[in-house]
Structures are given as structure tokens and as C-alpha cells.
Amino acid sequence: MPQFKSLLPVRFAVLHSGEPAEVTLNFANNTDVALTTRWRVPQLADPVMRSRAADSREFALLAAKRWRHYRDIHNTARSIAELQRMIAKDAEGEFCFHLKVTADWFPGSLGGAMVRRTWYHHLALDFLFVHPRISSKLVDVRSVGVQLLQGICVVAHALGCQRVWGETTQDSAPFYRRYLEEPVDDQFTISTAEIARLSASLENVRIG
């Protein structure tokens, strides 16, 4: 399996109210995932923003439910090294990991992603979400989603996966079109070349 020098955790900057603010992307553990189930939908007058916040909470709850399933059958990983060991023991096993973005200036996580390594050695992105206060723009933070996507590609690159894929919603499809720079309908695929490009993009903004 090829190794990529930008292994997690990685620190980088997002835009917080228009100013760079440091965050950290890393693997999540059971406690981190459980904390996302405590997110609440803020009271908002704008129905569009309230819907986005509700979607964020729903995705976090679904991701936590899926995580618990894999945890209970001992198929969750908390590092790239752990994933590599699990794959070495069972080349066609299906394993789950969860990524998080955290910051000293924000309570809990800013967002997360639940990902599966499939039996065919691809990565399937089941859920990618940001905190309801961010998705509803109550807190002005930008680029968390794309950095999570880049982090998934770091893992894919390190494992030697040739594809990252997932389903989209009507709201999320424009996000993937923008950052993958290709047509996207109700699903997307990230090729080996795009995995390398997105991995390098995260390395380019690494702090320290």
C-alpha cells in the first residue's frame, strides 16, 4: 500500500467570520461520535436554513447509528494504522471509520464524515455533515466540508484505494460538482487521480 506523507491528524485553517482559524482533522472515537447525537436544530425564521440544520442533525444521527453497528461487531477503526492491520487480517472485510473536525474555539466538532472501506477495497462515503449552526449559517465557518472530503482522500491514498464513491442529495450534489469539477447526479465517484489531487490539496494547507 502506498504511503502519503499527510497522515492524520492534520491542522489547517478554515475561514471563521472571514478570518483564518485553526482546526484539526482526525479520526473520531466512540465518545466523539456520541457527542454529535446531542446536536440540536436552532430556532430559525428562515425555513431553508432550518431545513439545512435539520438535515445536518439527521445525518449525524444516522452516522452514529451506523457507527454503533460496526462498533458492536468490532469493525471500526480509529487510525490509518488500525485500518491497515484490519485489512491485512481480512482482505475482503468491510470496516468503518469516522472523521471529525475540531477547534479550540468551537464546542464539540464542526463536522464529521462516516466512511466504509468496502470488500472491494474502495471507500464509500455514507454521510458527510457539518454542525447545524454552521450549515444554517448562524456561525460563519467555511470549507469544513471540502476539508473533510480531502481528509477522506488522504485515507484512501494511504490505503491504496482506487475509488471513493457515495450518494448525493439534491442539496449536496452542487457541493460535489464544485469540488470534483465534473458532472454529478445522485452519486459521485472520485478516481485515483482525483484522490491524489484532493490529498495533495490538504497537504498544501497543512499547518506545521
Side-chain angles (χ1 to χ4, degrees):
M1 296 178 184
Q3 297 296 314
F4 187 70
K5 65 180 181 178
S6 180
L7 300 183
L8 307 181
V10 57
R11 294 182 298 120
F12 55 90
V14 297
L15 287 178
H16 180 207
S17 299
E19 297 293 332
E22 185 174 315
V23 300
T24 301
L25 188 150
N26 200 3
F27 282 82
N29 57 31
N30 290 325
T31 300
D32 297 320
V33 176
L35 287 173
T36 65
T37 66
R38 300 180 185 178
W39 289 356
R40 294 294 179 263
V41 177
Q43 295 297 320
L44 298 159
D46 186 332
V48 174
M49 292 298 103
R50 181 168 177 80
S51 177
R52 289 182 180 178
D55 285 347
S56 292
R57 182 171 186 269
E58 181 182 4
F59 293 153
L61 292 173
L62 290 171
K65 182 178 180 180
R66 185 72 61 87
W67 169 269
R68 289 192 297 270
H69 165 73
Y70 284 98
R71 179 201 62 193
D72 291 346
I73 60 174
H74 307 290
N75 278 6
T76 55
R78 296 162 186 81
S79 69
I80 292 175
E82 188 174 8
L83 269 173
Q84 290 172 326
R85 288 193 296 271
M86 296 168 79
I87 293 167
K89 291 181 179 179
D90 184 359
E92 293 187 350
E94 183 169 278
F95 308 115
C96 170
F97 64 93
H98 200 294
L99 297 182
K100 62 176 180 177
V101 176
T102 57
D104 292 340
W105 46 267
F106 191 88
S109 67
L110 287 80
M114 207 227 78
V115 188
R116 287 177 295 118
R117 182 270 186 181
T118 72
W119 68 271
Y120 204 71
H121 199 53
H122 293 157
L123 292 188
L125 173 54
D126 286 332
F127 301 102
L128 188 153
F129 49 89
V130 297
H131 194 283
R133 295 181 65 83
I134 296 175
S135 62
S136 63
K137 299 185 178 180
L138 277 179
V139 179
D140 183 11
V141 179
R142 303 184 185 185
S143 80
V144 173
V146 66
Q147 308 287 16
L148 279 164
L149 188 63
Q150 291 168 351
I152 294 165
C153 288
V154 166
V155 178
H157 197 287
L159 295 177
C161 299
Q162 296 186 350
R163 183 179 302 165
V164 175
W165 60 269
E167 296 183 1
T168 70
T169 64
Q170 191 171 11
D171 284 340
S172 69
F175 166 84
Y176 292 103
R177 292 187 193 114
R178 176 180 179 183
Y179 290 107
L180 300 181
E181 301 176 355
E182 61 182 36
V184 170
D185 43 36
D186 61 350
Q187 58 186 327
F188 67 88
T189 298
I190 306 177
S191 65
T192 305
E194 277 296 287
I195 287 170
R197 181 183 71 84
L198 289 166
S199 298
S201 296
L202 189 60
E203 176 64 25
N204 290 338
V205 298
R206 171 191 283 271
I207 297 173

